[in-house]
Amino acid sequence: MNERRTFLRSVGVVTIGSALAGCSGGQNDGQQDDEDDSNGGSDGSSGSGGTEIDVGPEGRLRFDPEEVEIATGDTVRWIAKSEGHNVTSHPDASPKCKNPDGADPFTSYEGDDHFAIMEVDETFEYEFTVPGEYVYVCTPHEGQGMVGTVIVSE
């Protein structure tokens, strides 16, 4: 009985220590990302020449940032931060979706399964070659207001 308690106590200490190390590691990683971000703002700009948008950060039903402004030829990278989300500007997925004339819709999934979702930490990238306003949604959550906008200027 005494050995079991000692074992359980040791496992608990190791588990808690690992959890705390993981928490501090994630925080430092985020700080490193901020240091690498040459623009350093919440506009989604990243130091690697692209624009990043978090999909479902902190399990919330939103894109962060919800609106970005980029130039023609720029790439946007969406990163799934929680489960159950996707990214699409396809008008068949939602009446809220909008694309400029001459622009193809974009989707984070293949085919017509508009409810196909991304894995956590999965990324989806799209290069914008047609100027204008793109309105996109997370199909499973567009009814809850999970809508974003990309404004592309020449």
Side-chain angles (χ1 to χ4, degrees):
M1 182 75 163
N2 207 10
E3 289 178 23
R4 183 171 183 251
R5 285 186 184 159
T6 302
F7 172 77
L8 291 174
R9 187 177 301 122
S10 298
V11 169
V13 168
V14 169
T15 302
I16 291 171
S18 297
L20 292 175
C23 289
S24 65
Q27 191 173 28
N28 288 339
D29 290 345
Q31 290 171 350
Q32 181 67 33
D33 289 346
D34 289 343
E35 290 170 9
D36 290 343
D37 183 348
S38 62
N39 294 317
S42 62
D43 64 352
S45 300
S46 74
S48 61
T51 298
E52 292 186 353
I53 298 174
D54 290 340
V55 179
E58 301 166 353
R60 297 169 63 194
L61 302 180
R62 67 185 189 101
F63 296 103
D64 185 25
E66 291 179 357
E67 181 177 300
V68 295
E69 294 183 33
I70 62 171
T72 303
D74 285 354
T75 298
V76 173
R77 182 178 309 108
W78 288 268
I79 305 165
K81 296 295 186 176
S82 60
E83 296 177 354
H85 305 292
N86 68 16
V87 178
T88 182
S89 72
H90 201 292
D92 290 346
S94 169
K96 294 178 182 177
C97 292
K98 183 173 111 175
N99 299 283
D101 290 338
D104 291 327
F106 54 86
T107 62
S108 61
Y109 49 87
E110 297 292 325
D112 293 330
D113 183 3
H114 300 299
F115 285 90
I117 58 173
M118 300 169 72
E119 297 290 325
V120 174
D121 293 327
E122 181 180 342
T123 62
F124 164 67
E125 294 184 350
Y126 185 79
E127 180 182 352
F128 290 84
T129 58
V130 177
E133 181 177 270
Y134 297 75
V135 178
Y136 63 93
V137 302
C138 166
T139 310
H141 301 112
E142 57 96 13
Q144 288 85 19
M146 196 165 176
V147 180
T149 305
V150 177
I151 299 169
V152 182
S153 59
E154 292 189 77

